[in-house]
mmCIF file of all heavy atoms in Angstrom:
data_model
loop_
_atom_site.group_PDB
_atom_site.id
_atom_site.type_symbol
_atom_site.label_atom_id
_atom_site.label_comp_id
_atom_site.label_asym_id
_atom_site.label_seq_id
_atom_site.Cartn_x
_atom_site.Cartn_y
_atom_site.Cartn_z
ATOM 1 N N GLY A 1 212.366 273.059 213.618
ATOM 2 C CA GLY A 1 210.942 272.907 213.911
ATOM 3 C C GLY A 1 210.647 271.565 214.522
ATOM 4 O O GLY A 1 211.481 270.653 214.506
ATOM 5 N N TYR A 2 209.464 271.454 215.073
ATOM 6 C CA TYR A 2 209.008 270.200 215.652
ATOM 7 C C TYR A 2 208.914 269.168 214.543
ATOM 8 O O TYR A 2 208.701 269.513 213.374
ATOM 9 C CB TYR A 2 207.629 270.406 216.288
ATOM 10 C CG TYR A 2 207.316 269.461 217.412
ATOM 11 C CD1 TYR A 2 207.854 269.667 218.677
ATOM 12 C CD2 TYR A 2 206.477 268.368 217.226
ATOM 13 C CE1 TYR A 2 207.572 268.804 219.726
ATOM 14 C CE2 TYR A 2 206.193 267.500 218.269
ATOM 15 C CZ TYR A 2 206.744 267.728 219.517
ATOM 16 O OH TYR A 2 206.466 266.862 220.546
ATOM 17 N N THR A 3 209.086 267.902 214.888
ATOM 18 C CA THR A 3 209.024 266.881 213.851
ATOM 19 C C THR A 3 207.649 266.886 213.176
ATOM 20 O O THR A 3 206.629 267.098 213.823
ATOM 21 C CB THR A 3 209.352 265.482 214.435
ATOM 22 O OG1 THR A 3 209.394 264.533 213.385
ATOM 23 C CG2 THR A 3 208.343 265.034 215.472
ATOM 24 N N ASN A 4 207.649 266.706 211.872
ATOM 25 C CA ASN A 4 206.436 266.684 211.057
ATOM 26 C C ASN A 4 205.793 268.064 210.878
ATOM 27 O O ASN A 4 204.613 268.162 210.555
ATOM 28 C CB ASN A 4 205.388 265.718 211.637
ATOM 29 C CG ASN A 4 204.622 264.999 210.530
ATOM 30 O OD1 ASN A 4 205.141 264.818 209.440
ATOM 31 N ND2 ASN A 4 203.400 264.618 210.807
ATOM 32 N N ALA A 5 206.570 269.134 211.087
ATOM 33 C CA ALA A 5 206.024 270.491 210.896
ATOM 34 C C ALA A 5 206.031 270.890 209.430
ATOM 35 O O ALA A 5 205.414 271.878 209.041
ATOM 36 C CB ALA A 5 206.827 271.507 211.716
ATOM 37 N N GLY A 6 206.761 270.129 208.593
ATOM 38 C CA GLY A 6 206.796 270.415 207.163
ATOM 39 C C GLY A 6 208.097 271.034 206.689
ATOM 40 O O GLY A 6 208.162 271.631 205.610
ATOM 41 N N LYS A 7 209.177 270.855 207.478
ATOM 42 C CA LYS A 7 210.472 271.439 207.102
ATOM 43 C C LYS A 7 210.983 270.890 205.776
ATOM 44 O O LYS A 7 211.425 271.636 204.912
ATOM 45 C CB LYS A 7 211.525 271.168 208.182
ATOM 46 C CG LYS A 7 211.277 271.812 209.502
ATOM 47 C CD LYS A 7 212.443 271.633 210.472
ATOM 48 C CE LYS A 7 212.964 270.227 210.549
ATOM 49 N NZ LYS A 7 211.948 269.233 210.939
ATOM 50 N N SER A 8 210.928 269.563 205.637
ATOM 51 C CA SER A 8 211.490 268.944 204.427
ATOM 52 C C SER A 8 210.675 269.285 203.189
ATOM 53 O O SER A 8 211.221 269.459 202.097
ATOM 54 C CB SER A 8 211.590 267.432 204.601
ATOM 55 O OG SER A 8 212.498 267.142 205.652
ATOM 56 N N THR A 9 209.347 269.409 203.338
ATOM 57 C CA THR A 9 208.500 269.813 202.205
ATOM 58 C C THR A 9 208.871 271.227 201.763
ATOM 59 O O THR A 9 208.996 271.510 200.571
ATOM 60 C CB THR A 9 207.006 269.755 202.615
ATOM 61 O OG1 THR A 9 206.722 268.451 203.113
ATOM 62 C CG2 THR A 9 206.101 270.048 201.435
ATOM 63 N N LEU A 10 209.068 272.117 202.741
ATOM 64 C CA LEU A 10 209.466 273.496 202.422
ATOM 65 C C LEU A 10 210.865 273.511 201.800
ATOM 66 O O LEU A 10 211.108 274.223 200.813
ATOM 67 C CB LEU A 10 209.438 274.351 203.695
ATOM 68 C CG LEU A 10 209.878 275.810 203.537
ATOM 69 C CD1 LEU A 10 208.993 276.550 202.537
ATOM 70 C CD2 LEU A 10 209.865 276.539 204.883
ATOM 71 N N PHE A 11 211.765 272.715 202.364
ATOM 72 C CA PHE A 11 213.138 272.614 201.851
ATOM 73 C C PHE A 11 213.109 272.216 200.370
ATOM 74 O O PHE A 11 213.781 272.814 199.531
ATOM 75 C CB PHE A 11 213.905 271.579 202.679
ATOM 76 C CG PHE A 11 215.353 271.416 202.302
ATOM 77 C CD1 PHE A 11 216.323 272.239 202.836
ATOM 78 C CD2 PHE A 11 215.756 270.422 201.409
ATOM 79 C CE1 PHE A 11 217.661 272.084 202.498
ATOM 80 C CE2 PHE A 11 217.085 270.262 201.066
ATOM 81 C CZ PHE A 11 218.044 271.097 201.617
ATOM 82 N N ASN A 12 212.311 271.201 200.049
ATOM 83 C CA ASN A 12 212.209 270.728 198.662
ATOM 84 C C ASN A 12 211.641 271.811 197.753
ATOM 85 O O ASN A 12 212.098 271.999 196.623
ATOM 86 C CB ASN A 12 211.325 269.480 198.586
ATOM 87 C CG ASN A 12 212.007 268.261 199.200
ATOM 88 O OD1 ASN A 12 213.208 268.274 199.422
ATOM 89 N ND2 ASN A 12 211.245 267.239 199.494
ATOM 90 N N ARG A 13 210.623 272.531 198.253
ATOM 91 C CA ARG A 13 209.999 273.563 197.417
ATOM 92 C C ARG A 13 210.970 274.715 197.139
ATOM 93 O O ARG A 13 211.020 275.250 196.036
ATOM 94 C CB ARG A 13 208.728 274.089 198.102
ATOM 95 C CG ARG A 13 207.959 275.078 197.234
ATOM 96 C CD ARG A 13 206.577 275.350 197.767
ATOM 97 N NE ARG A 13 205.630 274.293 197.461
ATOM 98 C CZ ARG A 13 205.016 274.145 196.304
ATOM 99 N NH1 ARG A 13 205.283 274.965 195.300
ATOM 100 N NH2 ARG A 13 204.150 273.173 196.118
ATOM 101 N N LEU A 14 211.749 275.091 198.139
ATOM 102 C CA LEU A 14 212.665 276.228 197.968
ATOM 103 C C LEU A 14 213.895 275.870 197.144
ATOM 104 O O LEU A 14 214.463 276.727 196.466
ATOM 105 C CB LEU A 14 213.109 276.770 199.336
ATOM 106 C CG LEU A 14 212.029 277.409 200.218
ATOM 107 C CD1 LEU A 14 212.651 277.913 201.514
ATOM 108 C CD2 LEU A 14 211.320 278.547 199.498
ATOM 109 N N THR A 15 214.337 274.615 197.220
ATOM 110 C CA THR A 15 215.613 274.260 196.575
ATOM 111 C C THR A 15 215.451 273.361 195.353
ATOM 112 O O THR A 15 216.417 273.124 194.629
ATOM 113 C CB THR A 15 216.534 273.520 197.570
ATOM 114 O OG1 THR A 15 215.906 272.292 197.944
ATOM 115 C CG2 THR A 15 216.792 274.342 198.808
ATOM 116 N N GLY A 16 214.231 272.845 195.151
ATOM 117 C CA GLY A 16 214.042 271.898 194.039
ATOM 118 C C GLY A 16 214.701 270.569 194.328
ATOM 119 O O GLY A 16 214.915 269.754 193.434
ATOM 120 N N ALA A 17 215.031 270.318 195.616
ATOM 121 C CA ALA A 17 215.681 269.055 195.987
ATOM 122 C C ALA A 17 214.621 267.969 196.131
ATOM 123 O O ALA A 17 213.430 268.206 195.960
ATOM 124 C CB ALA A 17 216.449 269.237 197.298
ATOM 125 N N ASP A 18 215.059 266.791 196.465
ATOM 126 C CA ASP A 18 214.142 265.659 196.598
ATOM 127 C C ASP A 18 214.413 264.946 197.923
ATOM 128 O O ASP A 18 214.657 263.760 197.969
ATOM 129 C CB ASP A 18 214.331 264.699 195.413
ATOM 130 C CG ASP A 18 213.242 263.640 195.388
ATOM 131 O OD1 ASP A 18 212.166 263.901 195.961
ATOM 132 O OD2 ASP A 18 213.469 262.559 194.830
ATOM 133 N N VAL A 19 214.364 265.721 199.015
ATOM 134 C CA VAL A 19 214.600 265.153 200.336
ATOM 135 C C VAL A 19 213.333 264.432 200.776
ATOM 136 O O VAL A 19 212.226 264.862 200.479
ATOM 137 C CB VAL A 19 214.938 266.295 201.336
ATOM 138 C CG1 VAL A 19 214.993 265.774 202.762
ATOM 139 C CG2 VAL A 19 216.255 266.940 200.962
ATOM 140 N N MET A 20 213.496 263.294 201.469
ATOM 141 C CA MET A 20 212.334 262.534 201.923
ATOM 142 C C MET A 20 211.410 263.442 202.737
ATOM 143 O O MET A 20 211.804 264.019 203.730
ATOM 144 C CB MET A 20 212.784 261.361 202.797
ATOM 145 C CG MET A 20 211.627 260.498 203.269
ATOM 146 S SD MET A 20 212.221 259.181 204.333
ATOM 147 C CE MET A 20 210.702 258.421 204.827
ATOM 148 N N ALA A 21 210.179 263.593 202.285
ATOM 149 C CA ALA A 21 209.199 264.432 202.976
ATOM 150 C C ALA A 21 207.880 263.688 203.011
ATOM 151 O O ALA A 21 207.119 263.712 202.063
ATOM 152 C CB ALA A 21 209.054 265.771 202.254
ATOM 153 N N GLU A 22 207.646 262.979 204.093
ATOM 154 C CA GLU A 22 206.408 262.219 204.227
ATOM 155 C C GLU A 22 205.697 262.632 205.500
ATOM 156 O O GLU A 22 206.278 263.268 206.374
ATOM 157 C CB GLU A 22 206.713 260.710 204.290
ATOM 158 C CG GLU A 22 207.249 260.156 202.994
ATOM 159 C CD GLU A 22 207.421 258.650 203.059
ATOM 160 O OE1 GLU A 22 206.640 258.011 203.787
ATOM 161 O OE2 GLU A 22 208.326 258.133 202.406
ATOM 162 N N ASP A 23 204.410 262.263 205.603
ATOM 163 C CA ASP A 23 203.665 262.567 206.807
ATOM 164 C C ASP A 23 204.037 261.559 207.892
ATOM 165 O O ASP A 23 203.251 260.725 208.309
ATOM 166 C CB ASP A 23 202.156 262.521 206.507
ATOM 167 C CG ASP A 23 201.345 263.024 207.700
ATOM 168 O OD1 ASP A 23 201.919 263.757 208.527
ATOM 169 O OD2 ASP A 23 200.168 262.671 207.813
ATOM 170 N N LEU A 24 205.310 261.623 208.300
ATOM 171 C CA LEU A 24 205.848 260.702 209.303
ATOM 172 C C LEU A 24 206.667 261.507 210.299
ATOM 173 O O LEU A 24 207.308 262.481 209.925
ATOM 174 C CB LEU A 24 206.796 259.685 208.655
ATOM 175 C CG LEU A 24 206.222 258.552 207.806
ATOM 176 C CD1 LEU A 24 207.371 257.745 207.242
ATOM 177 C CD2 LEU A 24 205.319 257.658 208.625
ATOM 178 N N LEU A 25 206.660 261.075 211.543
ATOM 179 C CA LEU A 25 207.554 261.707 212.512
ATOM 180 C C LEU A 25 208.981 261.282 212.182
ATOM 181 O O LEU A 25 209.230 260.132 211.861
ATOM 182 C CB LEU A 25 207.190 261.274 213.931
ATOM 183 C CG LEU A 25 205.779 261.686 214.398
ATOM 184 C CD1 LEU A 25 205.528 261.213 215.810
ATOM 185 C CD2 LEU A 25 205.577 263.182 214.321
ATOM 186 N N PHE A 26 209.900 262.218 212.251
ATOM 187 C CA PHE A 26 211.316 261.958 211.962
ATOM 188 C C PHE A 26 211.522 261.368 210.573
ATOM 189 O O PHE A 26 212.225 260.385 210.402
ATOM 190 C CB PHE A 26 211.944 261.011 213.004
ATOM 191 C CG PHE A 26 212.034 261.599 214.365
ATOM 192 C CD1 PHE A 26 211.393 261.007 215.439
ATOM 193 C CD2 PHE A 26 212.741 262.756 214.589
ATOM 194 C CE1 PHE A 26 211.474 261.542 216.710
ATOM 195 C CE2 PHE A 26 212.809 263.307 215.847
ATOM 196 C CZ PHE A 26 212.187 262.697 216.905
ATOM 197 N N ALA A 27 210.865 261.944 209.557
ATOM 198 C CA ALA A 27 211.061 261.444 208.191
ATOM 199 C C ALA A 27 212.515 261.649 207.770
ATOM 200 O O ALA A 27 213.091 260.839 207.066
ATOM 201 C CB ALA A 27 210.127 262.144 207.223
ATOM 202 N N THR A 28 213.127 262.776 208.201
ATOM 203 C CA THR A 28 214.553 262.990 207.892
ATOM 204 C C THR A 28 215.323 263.166 209.188
ATOM 205 O O THR A 28 214.830 263.741 210.132
ATOM 206 C CB THR A 28 214.772 264.278 207.063
ATOM 207 O OG1 THR A 28 214.041 265.334 207.678
ATOM 208 C CG2 THR A 28 214.311 264.100 205.651
ATOM 209 N N LEU A 29 216.543 262.670 209.201
ATOM 210 C CA LEU A 29 217.378 262.766 210.401
ATOM 211 C C LEU A 29 218.653 263.539 210.181
ATOM 212 O O LEU A 29 219.074 264.311 211.012
ATOM 213 C CB LEU A 29 217.767 261.353 210.865
ATOM 214 C CG LEU A 29 216.791 260.631 211.776
ATOM 215 C CD1 LEU A 29 217.408 259.322 212.204
ATOM 216 C CD2 LEU A 29 216.460 261.471 212.984
ATOM 217 N N ASP A 30 219.280 263.292 209.053
ATOM 218 C CA ASP A 30 220.596 263.885 208.819
ATOM 219 C C ASP A 30 220.450 265.288 208.224
ATOM 220 O O ASP A 30 219.571 265.524 207.416
ATOM 221 C CB ASP A 30 221.411 263.001 207.874
ATOM 222 C CG ASP A 30 221.666 261.632 208.487
ATOM 223 O OD1 ASP A 30 222.445 261.575 209.441
ATOM 224 O OD2 ASP A 30 221.058 260.660 208.028
ATOM 225 N N PRO A 31 221.331 266.217 208.628
ATOM 226 C CA PRO A 31 221.226 267.568 208.065
ATOM 227 C C PRO A 31 221.524 267.552 206.571
ATOM 228 O O PRO A 31 222.439 266.870 206.121
ATOM 229 C CB PRO A 31 222.303 268.355 208.830
ATOM 230 C CG PRO A 31 223.244 267.326 209.343
ATOM 231 C CD PRO A 31 222.465 266.069 209.535
ATOM 232 N N THR A 32 220.706 268.259 205.808
ATOM 233 C CA THR A 32 220.877 268.317 204.361
ATOM 234 C C THR A 32 221.068 269.773 203.971
ATOM 235 O O THR A 32 220.386 270.646 204.503
ATOM 236 C CB THR A 32 219.609 267.777 203.658
ATOM 237 O OG1 THR A 32 219.227 266.564 204.301
ATOM 238 C CG2 THR A 32 219.851 267.525 202.195
#
């Protein structure tokens, strides 16, 4: 998805993980 579309927030919700998810462009870079 486009940066800041909410991928990491969804990732955290589905997996219970704690990946950096902020209202920032390019909050995460490395594949998790």
Side-chain angles (χ1 to χ4, degrees):
Y2 207 78
T3 185
N4 217 27
K7 295 187 313 302
S8 296
T9 305
L10 178 60
F11 183 86
N12 289 345
R13 185 167 282 280
L14 294 181
T15 63
D18 190 23
V19 172
M20 182 182 176
E22 292 185 31
D23 188 22
L24 286 177
L25 297 180
F26 294 120
T28 48
L29 274 185
D30 297 290
T32 314

